[in-house]
Amino acid sequence: MHEIKSKNQIIYDALGYLLEDALLEEIIHVGQLREVQLDEVILNVGDTMQMIPIVLRGSIKVSRENDAGEELLLYYIEGGDTCAMTLQCCVRHTSSEIKATSMEDSLLLFIPVEMMENWMHKYKTWREYILQSYHTRLTELMETVDAIAFMRLDERLMKFLVDQAKLLGSLEINLTHQKIAEDLHSSRVVISRLLKQLEVKGKIKLLRNKIILASI
DNA sequence: ACATTAAGTGATT
DNA sequence: AATCACTTAATGT
């Protein structure tokens, strides 16, 4: 499916338009590529990280988890992006407050934390990249807060489906009602009922393990 | 054919 | 909107 590319090419393709050449050279030198599979947990609550992850291909979902192991989806990280929470967790050597799970087979680039400070001083594009990342995460987080506070669950569910479809580039969503309920921190029965309503309204079509959106 | 898992439903809070 | 208790449907072995 994919042509075989060198690490060099992969990094240039994914980040070349964002970062300056000298920095890219350093990244190629110290960065480690890692492929992750669908549903692989990349970072768990309580974990500590010594590496900063950047998503090159694919997408990652970031969620919060309570003591009972119940989750709540916070935001997604797409190609070319990194996670501000993880950065913070890295430099301060504290344990993670969040959980990161891959939503599809993805390719990640890990960069040792030690480089952070040096690069912050040395490269303007790195500073901008990190600041931009913070900004994007915060914006998305606020969007999620708005959804939880102001939207009804059926609206939130529809938004979830549309977001999911946009992110994965397909109107077919391969998730069980149970999984959706977990991400939205609701219960399976409730989600099943709301999905049924959406189907009656013609917005979606329900199959086993699969939901098909009529449109985005 | 049987077991397992996903999804649907009525009643109750 | 959540939970319980149960049914029905789809799928794997």
Side-chain angles (χ1 to χ4, degrees):
Chain A
M1 57 178 228
H2 289 293
E3 55 187 307
I4 296 171
K5 290 186 193 170
S6 68
K7 176 181 175 184
N8 205 305
Q9 279 177 310
I10 292 170
I11 292 176
Y12 261 90
D13 287 355
L15 303 171
Y17 70 104
L18 282 170
L19 307 172
E20 58 210 276
D21 284 355
L23 174 54
L24 286 168
E25 291 301 328
E26 287 207 50
I27 287 176
I28 287 161
H29 190 241
V30 301
Q32 299 168 26
L33 292 179
R34 186 177 136 204
E35 303 224 26
V36 295
Q37 293 176 318
L38 169 68
D39 278 337
E40 190 170 330
V41 178
I42 295 143
L43 175 68
N44 226 322
V45 177
D47 286 357
T48 50
M49 284 237 126
Q50 330 74 3
M51 308 276 256
I52 299 152
I54 296 176
V55 179
L56 296 185
R57 268 207 314 266
S59 49
I60 307 297
K61 73 172 184 190
V62 173
S63 47
R64 199 96 236 267
E65 203 173 59
N66 68 9
D67 299 336
E70 296 162 340
E71 296 185 30
L72 174 67
L73 187 114
L74 297 179
Y75 51 76
Y76 305 103
I77 305 173
E78 296 177 73
D81 239 334
T82 186
C83 174
M85 301 288 181
T86 315
L87 294 174
Q88 193 60 18
C89 158
C90 277
V91 280
R92 307 203 143 213
H93 300 290
T94 54
S95 58
S96 174
E97 299 280 325
I98 51 112
K99 177 178 174 180
T101 316
S102 54
M103 299 177 61
E104 56 190 312
D105 294 350
S106 306
L107 181 65
L108 306 185
L109 174 68
F110 284 88
I111 295 170
V113 217
E114 306 89 80
M115 312 311 294
M116 273 286 287
E117 206 178 337
N118 181 5
W119 288 357
M120 283 297 245
H121 291 108
K122 205 161 153 192
Y123 300 111
K124 183 167 178 277
T125 51
W126 182 254
R127 279 198 299 280
E128 284 168 353
Y129 178 63
I130 297 301
L131 281 175
Q132 179 59 48
S133 164
Y134 266 102
H135 180 251
T136 312
R137 286 318 127 232
L138 190 60
T139 307
E140 287 170 356
L141 195 55
M142 284 195 285
E143 213 187 298
T144 303
V145 171
D146 282 349
I148 295 169
F150 305 128
M151 288 168 81
R152 293 199 316 270
L153 189 53
D154 59 338
E155 297 172 312
R156 250 178 90 205
L157 174 59
M158 195 61 213
K159 174 174 153 51
F160 171 87
L161 295 174
V162 170
D163 285 349
Q164 197 83 13
K166 281 182 185 163
L167 207 64
L168 300 178
S170 165
L171 289 173
E172 288 194 12
I173 295 163
N174 294 295
L175 287 175
T176 62
H177 300 182
Q178 180 62 52
K179 286 273 174 65
I180 297 172
E182 284 165 15
D183 276 351
L184 297 178
H185 193 235
S186 176
S187 65
R188 201 273 307 164
V189 204
V190 171
I191 295 300
S192 288
R193 287 194 167 124
L194 292 175
L195 283 170
K196 200 79 217 166
Q197 285 175 29
L198 289 172
E199 188 180 38
V200 171
K201 287 182 193 163
K203 297 191 175 187
I204 59 174
K205 193 173 188 312
L206 296 176
L207 287 81
R208 184 180 233 245
N209 289 315
K210 190 184 293 259
I211 296 164
I212 302 173
L213 282 247
S215 63
I216 289 186

